[in-house]
Amino acid sequence: MKNYKYLQIATLLGALAVGIGAFGAHGLLETLASNGTTDTFETAVKYHFYHVMALLVCSLLMDTYPPNRKLKTAFWLFFTGILIFSGSLYILSLTGVSWLGAITPIGGVAFIAGWIMMLLSAKPKNL
């Protein structure tokens, strides 16, 4: 597997999603409930995990169909989306810093762009 670094990043972020989700459900339940941000935190975890799956697919396809710059671009867009979208929602739900809600959509755009790049990589000449 030539692209093992991508798989390592994806699996590390997957473990992080499980850990953050479990910590939120057990260790932060009272804090999130008192802030009224339980739904926000859960949304962050869901999108984090959904896009870890996209990272895994990208990393496996990169190894199966190298070289494919569009898949690598998709991978980094999904990574960026997790950091910005889920990261801003995690921080917002824990701190109440409301201006972070303004940057959350940037992460959403990165997710959308990642899916589009993945679509573009699916041309027969690329695969």
Side-chain angles (χ1 to χ4, degrees):
M1 171 168 251
K2 287 171 51 176
N3 295 302
Y4 68 93
K5 292 176 192 173
Y6 295 98
L7 186 59
Q8 288 175 330
I9 291 168
T11 55
L12 179 63
L13 285 172
L16 197 56
V18 173
I20 290 170
F23 188 59
H26 301 289
L28 298 174
L29 188 59
E30 198 172 300
T31 302
L32 296 170
S34 68
N35 291 347
T37 56
T38 304
D39 289 343
T40 302
F41 193 87
E42 287 176 357
T43 297
V45 173
K46 279 193 285 191
Y47 277 82
H48 182 160
F49 222 116
Y50 296 155
H51 289 89
V52 162
M53 296 302 132
L55 291 174
L56 287 170
V57 169
C58 283
S59 65
L60 294 172
L61 287 175
M62 280 189 276
D63 202 52
T64 305
Y65 302 105
N68 194 321
R69 283 191 302 164
K70 289 178 182 167
L71 276 174
K72 287 182 181 179
T73 300
F75 180 95
W76 290 113
L77 285 165
F78 292 137
F79 180 87
T80 300
I82 290 170
L83 290 181
I84 296 173
F85 184 89
S86 294
S88 66
L89 290 181
Y90 289 139
I91 295 168
L92 171 68
S93 62
L94 293 171
T95 66
V97 177
S98 60
W99 66 264
L100 284 168
I103 67 165
T104 303
I106 297 168
V109 170
F111 286 150
I112 293 166
W115 288 108
I116 291 169
M117 288 304 293
M118 208 169 172
L119 170 69
L120 294 174
S121 77
K123 290 182 181 177
K125 73 175 186 173
N126 292 335
L127 296 178

